[in-house]
Amino acid sequence: MDAAEGPDAGLPPDREDVVAALLAHQRRFLAFVERRVGSRAVAEDLLQTAFARTLEKGGALKDGEGAVAWFYRLLRNALVDHHRRQAAEGRALEVEARDADAATGDLELKGAVCACLTDLLPTLKPEYATLVRQVDLEGRAVPDVAREVGITPNNAGVRLHRARLALKRSLERGCGACAAHGCLDCSCKPRR
């Protein structure tokens, strides 16, 4: 919330004092959040989101100093949610890193990729094909590919999972029993 907007930026008169009280403590709020997240930019984002929620749920506001205490509770809840999201993202990256290490373990198997896979890859959605090609065939890390494509690592992990399932179904339809047993000596022609 920008102090230049003023407390009377289209708010009902009974809420002006609440917004004025919150704006008077804006720097304290920012320092409170920044100490807990370690980043000014993240703190500003969290604070802005909290201010927006406050204005959306104006009916829950107390007046004056009561609003400040209420807002600190709102900020604490926002911090808990932020840290939970960070922890979940970290766990997902760890799992993906372990999967990537396991996938690179057998280079000989990578060299024996079924020719049908290469033929069926273009039939996937382009964003799925890109992930499968870069992660599974080229051996790149999911976070690196995600950053390059402009999505979060979690989103990339979900897309990769869906891409693998779609590719598996296509291989099973096209190769039948060959796909179920490994495709190492594949001589089938995929049906399209």
Side-chain angles (χ1 to χ4, degrees):
M1 175 179 292
D2 190 359
E5 292 174 350
D8 60 348
L11 294 171
D14 62 333
R15 294 291 167 227
E16 290 177 12
D17 61 332
V18 173
V19 174
L22 294 178
L23 285 175
H25 290 83
Q26 183 175 3
R27 285 194 175 130
R28 289 182 189 161
F29 294 145
L30 183 60
F32 173 81
V33 175
E34 187 175 359
R35 278 193 309 271
R36 285 154 178 81
V37 296
S39 166
R40 178 98 176 177
V42 172
E44 287 173 348
D45 287 345
L46 289 171
L47 185 60
Q48 187 69 25
T49 302
F51 275 133
R53 280 192 185 148
T54 299
L55 293 175
E56 289 170 2
K57 301 188 186 289
L61 289 175
K62 312 289 184 221
D63 54 341
E65 289 302 312
V68 173
W70 178 85
F71 195 74
Y72 271 115
R73 275 195 311 274
L74 183 86
L75 288 175
R76 283 186 190 97
N77 291 339
L79 287 164
V80 167
D81 292 343
H82 169 75
H83 289 300
R84 283 181 182 154
R85 279 191 305 274
Q86 295 291 75
E89 192 171 296
R91 286 190 305 271
L93 289 174
E94 288 174 14
V95 167
E96 192 56 46
R98 280 194 305 267
D99 289 350
D101 288 344
T104 58
D106 194 354
L107 294 176
E108 184 178 314
L109 184 59
K110 278 189 166 198
V113 172
C114 176
C116 298
L117 180 114
T118 308
D119 293 341
L120 289 173
L121 208 53
T123 66
L124 296 176
K125 290 181 180 179
E127 61 269 18
Y128 287 2
T130 298
L131 282 171
V132 169
R133 186 176 292 109
Q134 292 184 357
V135 173
D136 291 335
L137 300 179
E138 296 173 10
R140 297 187 55 208
V142 172
D144 295 339
V145 175
R147 195 172 21 260
E148 185 178 293
V149 175
I151 58 177
T152 66
N154 290 343
N155 189 335
V158 169
R159 283 187 188 180
L160 184 60
H161 174 74
R162 290 177 181 165
R164 287 172 177 162
L165 286 176
L167 190 57
K168 177 184 176 189
R169 285 190 294 269
S170 293
L171 280 170
E172 287 172 347
R173 274 192 311 270
C175 299
C178 178
H181 298 297
C183 291
L184 293 179
D185 288 324
C186 183
S187 60
C188 61
K189 302 290 182 210
R191 287 177 247 144
R192 295 191 180 174

